[in-house]
Amino acid sequence: QVQLVESGGGLVQTGGSLRLSCLASGRTFSNYAMGWFRQAPGKEREFVAGINWSGSTTYYADSVKGRFTISRDNAKNTVFLEMNSLKPEDTAVYYCAADQVPRASTYSYRYDYWGQGTEVTVSS
């Protein structure tokens, strides 16, 4: 079992920045690829960013490429999502997820463990 706890969400104005964190516990964190997903009201959960287990490879949805950065610190069992130039359409609940494979997937069904989510609201 892996437990994931997200933090760092909040209310921010358009153009602002937030840094989300996801702390993992329970198993060897470096054995897991990690992903960030988000779900806006009335919409399906969508892939935002992923990172492989070593942190050497990252993946992004086109909608956030160039604005968001995913990173991880395996010594601290934490994955981060740095979000810059935020837009109202980034408003959603953000979830981190873990998959016990080397390479992160863009498909939510591939992930075995999920956090409870942290809410991000971007005001216009």
Side-chain angles (χ1 to χ4, degrees):
Q1 285 283 352
V2 174
Q3 292 79 43
L4 302 172
V5 179
E6 302 96 335
S7 61
L11 174 64
V12 64
Q13 291 186 332
T14 297
S17 298
L18 283 174
R19 189 191 198 204
L20 306 184
S21 300
C22 174
L23 177 63
S25 61
R27 291 288 179 92
T28 304
F29 180 66
S30 58
N31 287 347
Y32 290 80
M34 299 297 295
W36 283 97
F37 290 77
R38 66 187 181 186
Q39 187 165 17
K43 295 188 176 181
E44 292 187 354
R45 191 169 297 189
E46 64 174 359
F47 171 79
V48 175
I51 189 167
N52 72 339
W53 56 13
S54 70
S56 61
T57 306
T58 56
Y59 314 88
Y60 298 94
D62 288 343
S63 59
V64 306
K65 205 170 290 184
R67 300 188 298 122
F68 290 12
T69 302
I70 188 172
S71 61
R72 66 189 295 163
D73 185 338
N74 285 346
K76 296 182 178 179
N77 290 357
T78 304
V79 62
F80 304 97
L81 185 68
E82 185 77 33
M83 305 187 297
N84 298 312
S85 302
L86 283 161
K87 306 174 182 180
E89 50 264 43
D90 295 317
T91 294
V93 177
Y94 284 71
Y95 300 89
C96 71
D99 185 12
Q100 197 173 6
V101 293
R103 186 176 181 269
S105 172
T106 62
Y107 298 103
S108 60
Y109 71 85
R110 293 294 304 271
Y111 289 80
D112 302 310
Y113 304 101
W114 292 83
Q116 82 291 347
T118 185
E119 190 166 0
V120 172
T121 303
V122 184
S123 64
S124 57

